[in-house]
Each structure stands twice: as C-alpha cells, then as structure tokens.
Amino acid sequence: HLFQEDATRIMGWVLPVLQQYQANDETETPQGGVPTGQLLSACARIASVAGEAYAPYAATVVPLLLARIRKATDVEIAEGDLNTREQDGIQVDKEAGTESVTVAIPGKGVTKLSINTSSIEEKAQAIRGIYEHAVALEGSFGPYVQNSMDVLLPLVKFQFSSDVRSTSAQSLSAVFEAG
C-alpha cells in the first residue's frame, strides 16, 4: 500500500505510451524512445507490487505481452560457406540481433543456421511478464487465462530456447492458478 500512489502515477504516464504503441500496430518505439520491452517489464514489476489494484491496467498491458510472445522467431537455414565454418564458428551480428553457425551436415552439405536471439530474449521476457501478472492479479487475471494458455502451451516445446520452454511451463502454472 505504501507504493500504491506512486504506481498509479507511473501507470498514468506509461499507459498512454503503450496505447500509442498499440495504435501504431506495435511497429514503432513509443514516444520518447523508451523501449517497449522495458516498459512492459516495469509494468510487470508494478503489478507485483500493486496486486489486484493493478487490474484496470491489465487490459492494455496483457494483450501487448501476448502479442510479443506470439511474434514469430526468425530462424533461417541457408546454404553455407565451408570457409566461414572453419574460421569463425558462431557469428554474432549485434545490430541484427542474430547468431549464426555454419556446419557440415552429412548428406546435406554445408548449412548456415541463423537465429534471431534478440526476438527469443524478448519472447522470454514477455512470458515472464505474463507470469508476474498472473501471480499478482490472481482472480482478476481471469479474462486473460484462455488467451494466455493458448499462447503459452505450444511454447513448452519451443525448440530454440530452454529459457522459453521453462518460463512458459512456469507461467502456465501461474495462469492456471489465477483462473
């Protein structure tokens, strides 16, 4: 209760920014250049402090979290270059947020596998946000239970990240308890 007034004030600033982002089809960084992922993480922390008093804000925040979780993970398999494989091992492109590895696969030849690790980290962060909201809101999370279950359940077998798998399983438990 000590931070309730501060949480309300902060959410009064954050909510319009997130609504603007939502209105722009989630394609732009919100006004002021604050990364949306960090705003959503801050919202999850505020939810954990505010508890069920946070419920009015969930109608904006939870759908944004679920949309981030639903985003496809960029994985590309292409013909590779044997010289690259021997020299570099894993190639990291920080600007694009990808990691690539070139391997020789018997019967297939040299193959380059590229994974957008930034999108995987964003997905895991959004899943943690759903967990925090489900735990904090308890019964008030009810309207989001079915959508959350539908989004999280397939991620329990997500082949590209053990973090996404384990966080999804943990979040499913919290979502189930909230329902």
Side-chain angles (χ1 to χ4, degrees), residues 11-43:
M11 289 308 295
W13 173 80
V14 169
L15 216 54
V17 173
L18 291 176
Q19 289 166 337
Q20 175 194 5
Y21 176 70
Q22 198 170 29
N24 290 330
D25 295 324
E26 301 163 20
T27 56
E28 297 177 12
T29 300
Q31 193 175 16
V34 178
T36 308
Q38 291 179 2
L39 282 178
L40 292 171
S41 291
C43 290

Side-chain angles (χ1 to χ4, degrees), residues 6-178:
D6 292 335
T8 302
R9 217 175 301 130
I10 291 169
M11 289 308 295
W13 173 80
V14 169
L15 216 54
V17 173
L18 291 176
Q19 289 166 337
Q20 175 194 5
Y21 176 70
Q22 198 170 29
N24 290 330
D25 295 324
E26 301 163 20
T27 56
E28 297 177 12
T29 300
Q31 193 175 16
V34 178
T36 308
Q38 291 179 2
L39 282 178
L40 292 171
S41 291
C43 290
R45 288 186 202 98
I46 291 169
S48 68
V49 171
E52 290 195 9
Y54 179 89
Y57 310 114
T60 298
V61 177
V62 172
L64 285 172
L65 288 168
L66 292 172
R68 289 178 79 81
I69 296 168
R70 279 190 200 100
K71 281 187 180 178
T73 303
D74 297 331
V75 177
E76 180 183 334
I77 300 174
E79 188 175 319
D81 177 7
L82 187 59
N83 294 327
T84 302
R85 181 187 72 84
E86 291 174 354
Q87 294 172 359
D88 300 324
I90 295 178
Q91 298 171 327
V92 177
D93 182 346
K94 290 183 180 184
E95 195 170 301
T98 61
E99 291 186 17
S100 302
V101 65
T102 303
V103 294
I105 300 175
K108 291 262 188 189
V110 179
T111 304
K112 181 178 181 178
L113 173 66
S114 298
I115 299 176
N116 186 329
T117 52
S118 293
S119 69
I120 291 174
E121 290 168 9
E122 289 172 8
K123 187 181 295 285
Q125 184 180 26
I127 294 167
R128 281 189 280 282
I130 291 295
Y131 171 83
E132 292 293 334
H133 280 80
V135 169
L137 294 173
E138 297 174 343
S140 297
F141 192 79
Y144 314 103
V145 167
Q146 188 61 52
N147 283 339
S148 297
M149 296 286 259
D150 293 344
V151 170
L152 294 172
L153 190 57
L155 295 176
V156 172
K157 60 180 186 173
F158 187 73
Q159 61 186 343
F160 303 114
S161 169
S162 61
D163 188 28
V164 168
R165 288 191 300 273
S166 63
T167 307
S168 295
Q170 183 181 24
S171 296
L172 278 168
S173 174
V175 167
F176 183 76
E177 287 291 321

